[in-house]
């Protein structure tokens, strides 16, 4: 992953970063995945506040933001004051998930900052509560001290609109709804990458958000998912919920992609699907196939209809648009 470096490290005690310019199709592979920000941020909930802190033993506001953005591939400067000089100003009514919000808490501009996570909420290092989620419009303290917001990860379109998702695209409606619900946010520059294969870590993160699971457990449960991994909290959440597990070797394989058969097992557990009545009899899923029962239940629920030739293609890898459609249908059940 290529990190975006933000220059101008200053001395102040709350840090944030800045973004480089507008994303382009030519650098598509290096675009920041916006869906990583909330899981990376929420796994630190409960960590105490520490003046000048930059580690999970204790954060100040800018130290926390810097850590979160570092995990998703963006390098930021060290202070909130410097962060406030970066990015593009956005109005309060146009905030997107991942925007930085700033406050005057000491009589000096931009003395505190947080990360906007949607629905009028931001996550930050509070001097009294540590890493916590707060209402941006709190009338007693934060609302009056709000001074503005900056967009660090480039985006110009409204939430739910993507440059690579035409209105005629087969999964347009599902992707748009998931984006508007602050679940599937796509990439920097308003791209969704619908044909890109989705990894196990990314599936865990989207499911943890969609199912509103607690992502604050940073315990290293798998040998290949350290506490510093952006999806560690989300992976622990789906593991605890019985939705996804690792292998007998103690690894989770976060960068592996999922086949359609593997995803069927995950979705059956996630949405607690029990009935096989009315399932399609797919011609390429024999009764002896390890995922036969899962695929039957997924089909019976209406989450999958398979392909026009009555196949399911269980060994095919799942891409982002296919997962979005499955997830949307599961949430609508």
């Amino acid at each position: 992953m290529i990190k975006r470096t933000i220059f101008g490290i200053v001395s102040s005690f709350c840090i944030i970063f800045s973004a480089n310019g507008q994303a382009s199709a030519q650098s598509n592979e290096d675009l920041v995945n916006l869906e990583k920000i909330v899981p990376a941020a929420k796994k630190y909930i409960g960590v105490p506040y520490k003046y000048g802190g930059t580690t999970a033993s204790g954060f100040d506001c800018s130290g926390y933001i810097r850590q979160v953005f570092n995990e998703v591939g963006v390098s930021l400067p060290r202070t909130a004051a410097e962060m406030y000089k970066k990015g593009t100003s956005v109005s309060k009514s146009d905030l997107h998930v991942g925007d930085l919000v700033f406050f005057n808490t000491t009589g000096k501009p931009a003395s505190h900052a947080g990360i906007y996570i949607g629905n009028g909420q931001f996550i930050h290092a509070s001097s009294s509560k540590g890493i916590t989620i707060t209402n941006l419009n709190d009338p007693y303290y934060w609302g009056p001290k709000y001074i503005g917001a900056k967009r660090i990860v480039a985006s110009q379109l409204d939430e739910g609109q993507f440059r690579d998702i035409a209105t005629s695209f087969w999964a347009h409606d599902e992707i748009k709804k998931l984006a508007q619900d602050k679940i599937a946010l796509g990439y920097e520059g308003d791209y969704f990458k619908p044909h890109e294969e989705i990894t196990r870590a990314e599936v865990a993160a989207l499911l943890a958000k969609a199912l509103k699971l607690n992502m604050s457990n940073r315990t290293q449960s798998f040998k290949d998912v350290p506490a510093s991994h952006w999806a560690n909290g989300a992976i622990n959440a789906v593991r605890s919920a019985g939705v996804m597990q690792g292998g007998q070797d103690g690894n989770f394989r976060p960068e592996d992609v999922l086949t359609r058969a593997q995803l069927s097992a995950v979705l059956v557990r996630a949405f607690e699907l029990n009935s096989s009545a009315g399932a399609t009899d797919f011609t390429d899923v024999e009764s002896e196939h390890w995922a036969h029962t899962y695929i039957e239940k997924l089909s019976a629920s209406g989450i999958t209809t398979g392909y026009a030739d009555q196949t399911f293609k269980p060994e095919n890898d799942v891409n982002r648009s296919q997962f979005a459609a499955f997830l949307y249908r599961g949430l609508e059940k």
Side-chain angles (χ1 to χ4, degrees):
M1 177 185 297
I2 296 177
K3 292 185 179 178
R4 314 301 174 85
T5 303
I6 308 304
F7 299 96
I9 298 190
V10 177
S11 64
S12 182
F13 56 161
C14 203
I15 195 174
I16 300 186
F17 90 91
S18 127
N20 67 334
Q22 182 68 31
S24 65
Q26 287 73 22
S27 58
N28 199 276
E29 291 185 1
D30 301 329
L31 301 180
V32 174
N33 185 342
L34 290 164
E35 292 155 14
K36 295 182 178 181
I37 295 175
V38 169
K42 285 190 172 181
K43 73 177 185 176
Y44 291 111
I45 289 176
V47 169
Y49 179 87
K50 182 180 180 181
Y51 181 85
T54 60
T55 71
S57 63
F59 287 114
D60 67 14
C61 71
S62 56
Y64 167 64
I65 295 169
R66 192 174 191 229
Q67 176 64 32
V68 169
F69 276 83
N70 183 63
E71 290 178 14
V72 302
V74 178
S75 297
L76 312 177
R78 178 60 185 92
T79 70
E82 277 300 303
M83 298 174 186
Y84 193 49
K85 299 175 183 177
K86 306 296 182 178
T88 303
S89 294
V90 291
S91 66
K92 202 175 192 180
S93 62
D94 189 38
L95 287 171
H96 288 190
V97 173
D99 288 344
L100 300 183
V101 289
F102 295 87
F103 307 85
N104 181 340
T105 59
T106 64
K108 297 180 180 180
S111 55
H112 188 78
I115 303 168
Y116 186 69
I117 60 172
N119 302 314
Q121 297 181 315
F122 70 104
I123 189 167
H124 63 128
S126 163
S127 60
S128 60
K129 297 179 181 179
I131 306 303
T132 189
I133 295 173
T134 301
N135 185 336
L136 186 62
N137 298 307
D138 163 40
Y140 302 104
Y141 189 79
W142 295 106
K145 295 184 181 298
Y146 176 82
I147 62 170
K150 292 296 185 76
R151 183 157 299 154
I152 305 303
V153 182
S155 174
Q156 293 181 330
L157 302 181
D158 292 338
E159 286 185 315
Q161 295 183 345
F162 299 98
R163 300 180 191 279
D164 51 358
I165 302 292
T167 55
S168 58
F169 185 69
W170 71 271
H172 169 272
D173 293 349
E174 293 91 338
I175 291 169
K176 180 178 180 179
K177 184 62 166 62
L178 290 177
Q180 291 175 335
D181 288 344
K182 318 295 191 257
I183 297 172
L185 302 170
Y187 288 78
E188 173 183 14
D190 305 304
Y191 292 96
F192 189 78
K193 298 191 180 183
H195 305 298
E196 182 169 278
E197 295 171 340
I198 192 165
T199 69
R200 285 171 54 82
E202 291 166 346
V203 167
L206 288 170
L207 284 172
K209 283 196 288 183
L211 300 175
K212 297 180 171 59
L213 302 180
N214 182 350
M215 292 186 265
S216 63
N217 178 6
R218 291 180 294 107
T219 302
Q220 182 169 350
S221 301
F222 299 101
K223 292 187 291 187
D224 56 351
V225 185
S228 60
H229 190 286
W230 69 269
N232 181 55
I235 289 169
N236 280 332
V238 294
R239 174 179 178 269
S240 296
V243 173
M244 296 181 74
Q245 304 296 328
Q248 294 183 347
D249 59 358
N251 291 313
F252 185 79
R253 304 183 307 282
E255 303 309 315
D256 281 6
V257 298
L258 283 167
T259 65
R260 287 169 59 86
Q262 291 168 338
L263 182 61
S264 69
V266 169
L267 294 177
V268 165
R269 293 191 290 260
F271 296 114
E272 299 179 346
L273 306 176
N274 297 312
S275 175
S276 297
T280 299
D281 185 17
F282 295 114
T283 59
D284 58 347
V285 183
E286 301 291 336
S287 58
E288 295 81 13
H289 191 286
W290 73 267
H292 178 266
T293 300
Y294 292 117
I295 294 169
E296 269 196 335
K297 291 178 179 178
L298 199 67
S299 170
S301 72
I303 292 176
T304 185
T305 57
Y307 290 86
D309 60 359
Q310 208 172 342
T311 62
F312 182 74
K313 299 183 176 20
E315 308 312 320
N316 281 15
D317 292 334
V318 178
N319 64 35
R320 285 175 51 81
S321 57
Q322 291 168 341
F323 180 74
F326 287 144
L327 180 58
Y328 171 81
R329 294 169 194 160
L331 292 171
E332 289 295 296
K333 292 297 174 184

